[in-house]
Amino acid sequence: MTQHIIFDRLESIYSELISAESIYATLIQADRFPHKRPYFKHRYFQYGTFAKNLHEEVVAVTGHKPLRNAVNEDTSIYKSIESSILEESLTVQEVDALVVKTEKKLISRYQQVLKYSELSNTTQAILESQVEELNNEWQKLRSNLQIELHKD
């Protein structure tokens, strides 16, 4: 695999992290689900940190800055949940299920990139650390909410 393809995949994850950070910032301020504000705030800061770390690593490895909006709206994991949560009349359980499902998609995207043997050791370590943290959060959230995911 060429360095260019790896850069594209890392840029895609970076773009999703930026989208997630932005969406959680909006959800914090929207006050539609005030009891979820601590969770939204936690994820906002977590994704911001992940994006910063990944940005620095991509620049260090490739010499190129990843684009903030590298993923188009049709294929973005996070773009659709913002409008769904803010514009649709979702129940708390539907919001929880949407968040759990969306978080799982991001974990899957990380896992796809981690399959590449051409990643530098540092890049691999950063991605593994982030996906482990995401997976732990996802498991805890899914367990606490007792949400079962159904295949689409």
Side-chain angles (χ1 to χ4, degrees):
M1 172 156 303
T2 67
Q3 198 66 6
H4 177 71
I5 293 171
I6 292 172
F7 174 79
D8 288 348
R9 300 293 195 274
L10 292 173
E11 186 177 56
S12 172
I13 290 176
Y14 172 74
S15 181
E16 291 292 358
L17 292 171
I18 294 296
S19 291
E21 179 186 28
S22 173
I23 287 163
Y24 281 118
T26 301
L27 293 173
I28 291 166
Q29 295 173 358
D31 209 28
R32 272 238 18 231
F33 298 94
H35 62 288
K36 293 203 168 296
R37 185 179 291 133
Y39 174 78
F40 293 154
K41 199 173 197 178
H42 167 70
R43 292 312 270 225
Y44 165 78
F45 286 114
Q46 183 180 40
Y47 284 127
T49 301
F50 284 5
K52 178 183 174 285
N53 293 341
L54 189 56
H55 181 276
E56 290 171 359
E57 179 61 13
V58 168
V59 170
V61 170
T62 68
H64 301 288
K65 291 183 180 181
L67 296 175
R68 297 174 66 85
N69 57 354
V71 177
N72 71 42
E73 292 198 24
D74 295 335
T75 59
S76 174
I77 296 169
Y78 285 93
K79 294 286 183 190
S80 65
I81 77 161
E82 181 177 26
S83 61
S84 295
I85 292 174
L86 296 177
E87 297 169 12
E88 296 175 20
S89 296
L90 299 178
T91 65
V92 172
Q93 292 80 12
E94 290 171 327
V95 170
D96 292 342
L98 184 60
V99 167
V100 167
K101 185 177 176 182
T102 304
E103 299 286 334
K104 183 62 177 168
K105 287 179 184 177
L106 181 62
I107 291 167
S108 294
R109 194 157 294 174
Y110 268 88
Q111 290 168 336
Q112 289 171 355
V113 174
L114 282 166
K115 290 179 183 178
Y116 302 132
S117 60
E118 294 87 355
L119 293 173
S120 74
N121 291 341
T122 304
T123 303
Q124 181 143 358
I126 289 169
L127 293 175
E128 285 174 353
S129 172
Q130 289 182 0
V131 78
E132 183 178 329
E133 195 171 329
L134 290 172
N135 196 46
N136 288 342
E137 292 268 348
W138 180 79
Q139 291 287 352
K140 189 173 16 173
L141 182 65
R142 185 173 161 227
S143 171
N144 288 346
L145 300 172
Q146 298 179 343
I147 291 176
E148 285 299 318
L149 297 179
H150 303 284
K151 296 280 184 196
D152 288 334

